[in-house]
Amino acid sequence: MRPPTRRGRLTAALSVAAALITLAGSTSAQPSVAAEAPVAAAALPYQDASLPVADRVNDLLGRMTLDDKIGQMTQADKDSIVPQSDINTYRLGSVLSGGDGTVSPNNATTWADTYDALQRQAIGTPLAIPMIYGIDAVHGANAVRGATIFPHNIGLGATRDPALVQRIGRAVAEEVSGTGVDWTFAPCLCVARNDRWGRTYESFGETPELVSSMSTIVDGFQGAGGAGSTAASVLATAKHYIGDGGTTNGTDQGNTQLTEAELRAVHLPPFKSAVDRGVGSVMLSYSSWNGVKVHGHKFLVTDLLKGELGFKGFVVSDWAAVDQLDGQTGFTADEVSKAINAGVDMVMVPYDYKKFISTLRAEVDNGHVAMSRIDDANRRILTKKFELGLFEKPLTDRAYTSTVGSAEHRTLARQAVRESQVLLKNDGGVLPLAKSAKLFVAGKSADDIGNMSGGWTMSWQGRSGAITPGTTVLGGIRAAATDSSRVTYERYGNGIDSSYTAAVAVVGETPYAEGKGDRTGAMGLDQEDLQTLAKLKASGVPVVVVLVSGRPLDIAAQLPDWKALVAAWLPGTEGGGVADVLFGDYKPTGKLPMTWMRSVSQQPINQGDGKDALFPYGHGLTYGTGTEPDPTPTPTPTPTPGAGSCTATTKVTNSWSGGYQADVTVRNTGTVALTGWAASWDLGNRTVTNVWNGTLTTSGGRATVRNTQWNGSLAAGGTVTFGYTANGSADGLTVPACSGTTGA
Ligand code: GLC
């Protein structure tokens, strides 16, 4: 439980007001205000913070009308609640600001004042149930001008530093709390498998173990003991359950075509990690699994997430995602009951909350949604509200408002920027640069906080320009230089000549979010960048490229012209961290969270799929006596035949003229656990074109698939499945030979 704060006095007054409990039994679709005279009452059990949360929930549930309960399951967009008193009238349990939600003037105090006004509406209801306010604080309190903007998740994945990421979660929680908001729709625990996806930068990486390792941010947001376990605790959201990063062709909100074994192996582990850390909410994915929308998938939501994983928080839909279930615009009674019965506890409506409330009410009245489902959803939601301490302290803790954009948080963000830089190339040790060097800086993203921050910054899609206070890469370079007058900046490279020691080109992508960032065609640099780079190349000056992008880009053709390449990802407001690496104040330690394509035709390209990447997953150079090579990657263990025994059984899951898809199940037939396995078979005239859950090598007409880093251990009698797609006929496949490794 959170320690008392200055709000205690105000809260006590509100508790007295709330103690005026009415026993209104409204029956209309629109709850009326107290139907009977309020009766004064001492604080009721649910208002007694000394009682166990479960007892408080039970007591409160017993006092709630159906309208109260349906209101708790309703989340509305702040700007759509007109009049604001509808929060009171319709007992709305939650308010959100979507990506474009804002206040005017946009600063922390205005946000806090706005939150408090909305909350007063909520606690002015007969039962005084506080609302919970959600926002996408995905890399800082990124809707608030002046907030610290941290690197997006793809950069945090490159740090390989879960402890740092937890500290970032804590800093974000403080800034978010200072604006009143109690709930962030973060972290995205998506495993991005196709870089075409417009949300690749919201992913910590392409492997489940890297993404799982960064679930420490949940403890940062909530506190290590779960929701409400520390002051300024904000509810975290594991999203988007499940398979959002695994859709075919990386299409946002598309179809994830995987077997259950593959879905479990690649996309489930991060959610298990978050659930084990007590994540308070889970947001469902718009996408489908083998053609079935996740928002209506009872097995995935209720049986797997709530049952098998034991998730005790509440499930929230995505923005108007219920509307998509029948493929038509708007939502119907069938869609509402399908989503609620699948296990959705709170619906992000977000606009027509009155229609949603009346629709769900009717679906309960006609028996399509059981009261037990309504009560379960309320129990989950109310439990988190009690744990967060919202009943005792419903209003903004203004003690945290001053942390928004604080020097301490910006220092932390700068450390994150340093650790996220991945040095991909450094010919002749051109880096680190000398601070006394005469430098020419160019590129559209050198002096642009908006480009450096990407989507979900001050607006949903983000935008180029000076959108919020911060230090650009150019600003960082000038601040670090011995004499800033020796640093010239011209966006397009005009004016460069051979007098410069080096040119630094800061290029890449302009902001985008979600499907608007899907790249279905080329994935190279834009024309402006290419023209700028051509000018720099023509000068003969060594070119250092700093790539500001939300994903790997197709740059193999240009790479020979660059002496050095640093992947900066989307660093946010603290561009000084990039300069720290360029000048060697920090030796680069970043490692690729994504395999880097040699060509866009290779997408999807991931660790272990046997494709010839430009830079492999985990690649990252540092500074040393020269350019020290990447430490030799640990080779996938070649199982020692006989050390462990296994069998491999192939099952053709799909075939078409000229190709087929197959699952291969490896079974540990020995008596001791395997620590690695390999299955190999004759290819004949076939070629394997894609592999998942395994690491492919081919030689001498045979294909060998070994375990990945995350599925090598196999208990005696256990099985694991990998899959592949191949050109050629599925007829006459030989049974793969299997060998296993045991021991360390
Ligand atoms: C968006 C996103 C989701 C976000 C929600 C609220 O469509 O899919 O990540 O949390 O809506 O903004």
Side-chain angles (χ1 to χ4, degrees):
M1 186 55 63
R2 301 195 297 189
T5 67
R6 284 183 287 122
R7 288 191 303 183
R9 291 186 300 281
L10 172 58
T11 306
L14 291 170
S15 302
V16 171
L20 297 176
I21 302 302
T22 61
L23 304 177
S26 57
T27 54
S28 67
Q30 290 188 2
S32 58
V33 186
E36 296 163 23
V39 290
L44 298 170
Y46 79 90
Q47 294 172 318
D48 180 348
S50 69
L51 291 180
V53 165
D55 295 352
R56 302 179 74 183
V57 169
N58 287 332
D59 176 61
L60 179 52
L61 268 182
R63 301 174 188 278
M64 293 169 75
T65 65
L66 176 56
D67 290 317
D68 289 326
K69 295 176 180 177
I70 290 175
Q72 286 302 305
M73 299 169 68
T74 307
Q75 183 181 61
D77 170 60
K78 167 178 73 76
D79 298 326
S80 306
I81 304 173
V82 180
Q84 208 174 69
S85 57
D86 272 5
I87 292 178
N88 185 299
T89 309
Y90 293 92
R91 310 285 197 274
L92 297 181
S94 182
V95 178
L96 86 145
S97 283
D100 282 328
T102 190
V103 295
S104 182
N106 185 351
N107 57 48
T109 299
T110 310
W111 277 98
D113 294 343
T114 303
Y115 172 92
D116 286 354
L118 294 160
Q119 187 65 283
R120 286 193 177 94
Q121 288 289 341
I123 58 180
T125 51
L127 291 170
I129 302 173
M131 60 91 186
I132 184 168
Y133 197 119
I135 202 165
D136 295 278
V138 297
H139 65 142
N142 38 252
V144 184
R145 196 173 194 292
T148 309
I149 304 299
F150 292 85
H152 267 295
N153 287 352
I154 192 170
L156 299 184
T159 69
R160 298 300 199 277
D161 190 345
L164 170 75
V165 170
Q166 180 169 340
R167 291 169 57 205
I168 290 172
R170 176 60 197 170
V172 173
E174 290 179 355
E175 297 200 18
V176 167
S177 292
T179 68
V181 172
D182 339 273
W183 177 19
T184 178
F185 302 134
C188 186
L189 292 176
C190 38
V191 182
R193 302 291 288 172
N194 190 316
D195 305 346
R196 291 182 177 283
W197 187 35
R199 307 192 76 163
T200 296
Y201 66 80
E202 295 186 65
S203 171
F204 289 109
E206 69 183 28
T207 65
E209 82 272 10
L210 174 55
V211 176
S212 301
S213 72
M214 296 301 174
S215 62
T216 51
I217 198 167
V218 170
D219 291 345
F221 286 140
Q222 299 189 151
S229 61
T230 181
S233 167
V234 293
L235 202 68
T237 310
K239 74 181 188 181
H240 311 78
Y241 182 85
I242 183 174
D244 53 347
T247 62
T248 303
N249 300 321
T251 304
D252 188 44
Q253 304 188 14
N255 188 20
T256 302
Q257 296 173 279
L258 295 173
T259 64
E260 182 179 335
E262 295 147 358
L263 191 74
R264 284 175 174 269
V266 178
H267 299 284
L268 190 62
F271 288 92
K272 180 171 185 345
S273 297
V275 168
D276 292 348
R277 291 180 185 275
V279 69
S281 69
V282 168
M283 183 183 292
L284 299 187
S285 175
Y286 283 115
S287 56
S288 303
W289 177 42
N290 295 334
V292 180
K293 280 279 184 183
V294 171
H295 273 77
H297 208 298
K298 190 168 188 293
F299 164 71
L300 290 177
V301 183
T302 297
D303 303 341
L304 182 54
L305 175 65
K306 294 181 175 178
E308 186 177 319
L309 264 59
F311 175 58
K312 295 290 183 272
F314 65 89
V315 170
V316 63
S317 79
D318 204 333
W319 180 282
V322 172
D323 305 22
Q324 294 184 1
L325 288 180
D326 65 1
Q328 310 298 317
T329 54
F331 58 84
T332 63
D334 286 347
E335 287 175 311
V336 168
S337 53
K338 185 174 182 62
I340 301 294
N341 288 333
V344 172
D345 300 307
M346 182 185 286
V347 173
M348 188 186 295
V349 181
Y351 299 123
D352 198 346
Y353 49 88
K354 297 174 193 174
K355 178 187 172 190
F356 171 74
I357 288 169
S358 60
T359 301
L360 181 51
R361 168 97 204 206
E363 288 298 279
V364 174
D365 290 345
N366 65 24
H368 292 164
V369 175
M371 200 60 219
S372 58
R373 179 73 271 278
I374 299 294
D375 284 341
D376 173 48
N378 271 263
R379 199 176 293 284
R380 291 170 177 269
I381 293 165
L382 294 173
T383 296
K384 292 307 159 189
K385 289 186 174 182
F386 280 119
E387 288 176 351
L388 280 172
L390 293 182
F391 284 79
E392 285 67 49
K393 300 170 186 65
L395 303 181
T396 304
D397 188 342
R398 303 279 173 153
Y400 289 97
T401 307
S402 61
T403 70
V404 177
S406 67
E408 179 193 352
H409 289 170
R410 290 182 188 273
T411 299
L412 177 64
R414 181 166 180 161
Q415 179 60 23
V417 174
R418 287 191 200 106
E419 293 189 32
S420 63
Q421 304 304 295
V422 182
L423 180 61
L424 295 172
K425 179 180 180 181
N426 189 21
D427 279 0
V430 67
L431 290 177
L433 299 169
K435 292 183 177 179
S436 58
K438 184 182 179 185
L439 300 175
F440 193 103
V441 180
K444 66 171 181 284
S445 298
D447 198 27
D448 192 308
I449 289 288
N451 287 359
M452 289 165 59
S453 301
W456 297 105
T457 317
M458 303 304 129
S459 65
W460 178 41
Q461 292 293 315
R463 67 176 175 82
S464 302
I467 61 172
T468 192
T471 305
T472 63
V473 174
L474 173 66
I477 291 172
R478 282 186 163 146
T482 311
D483 174 357
S484 64
S485 67
R486 289 172 55 80
V487 178
T488 301
Y489 171 61
E490 206 289 324
R491 172 172 170 160
Y492 304 99
N494 295 320
I496 188 166
D497 60 36
S498 58
S499 70
Y500 290 91
T501 313
V504 179
V506 188
V507 296
E509 294 186 304
T510 51
Y512 53 83
E514 301 194 43
K516 293 181 184 293
D518 284 3
R519 291 185 72 161
T520 54
M523 293 181 69
L525 295 172
D526 65 22
Q527 281 311 305
E528 175 186 340
D529 287 344
L530 292 172
Q531 288 162 8
T532 302
L533 286 162
K535 285 203 187 83
L536 302 181
K537 176 185 175 182
S539 73
V541 169
V543 176
V544 172
V545 171
V546 175
L547 199 58
V548 172
S549 66
R551 60 190 132 199
L553 296 180
D554 185 357
I555 47 88
Q558 292 79 35
L559 186 60
D561 296 333
W562 307 343
K563 293 292 279 183
L565 171 60
V566 175
W569 313 110
L570 296 171
T573 51
E574 305 313 309
V578 178
D580 293 337
V581 168
L582 294 178
F583 288 114
D585 288 341
Y586 181 84
K587 288 188 175 183
T589 54
K591 301 293 179 194
L592 282 183
M594 308 276 178
T595 303
W596 200 288
M597 73 192 103
R598 189 175 293 280
S599 160
V600 67
S601 63
Q602 293 180 305
Q603 291 297 339
I605 182 169
N606 294 293
Q607 182 199 42
D609 63 12
K611 295 179 181 175
D612 174 26
L614 182 63
F615 302 113
Y617 172 85
H619 176 69
L621 305 176
T622 191
Y623 300 146
T625 50
T627 301
E628 285 158 3
D630 206 17
T632 309
T634 312
T636 305
T638 303
T640 309
S645 59
C646 57
T647 59
T649 311
T650 301
K651 177 186 171 197
V652 175
T653 51
N654 193 4
S655 64
W656 52 89
S657 60
Y660 68 95
Q661 194 167 71
D663 282 346
V664 180
T665 299
V666 173
R667 178 180 299 281
N668 179 355
T669 52
T671 55
V672 292
L674 295 182
T675 53
W677 44 265
S680 52
W681 66 96
D682 284 329
L683 281 168
N685 59 356
R686 306 176 187 88
T687 51
V688 176
T689 54
N690 192 17
V691 171
W692 49 89
N693 295 346
T695 307
L696 173 71
T697 51
T698 51
S699 68
R702 281 180 73 80
T704 299
V705 174
R706 294 181 177 79
N707 59 284
T708 63
Q709 285 180 338
W710 74 84
N711 63 4
S713 59
L714 198 54
T719 62
V720 64
T721 297
F722 68 83
Y724 71 89
T725 309
N727 292 331
S729 166
D731 299 335
L733 286 173
T734 59
V735 176
C738 190
S739 55
T741 305
T742 61

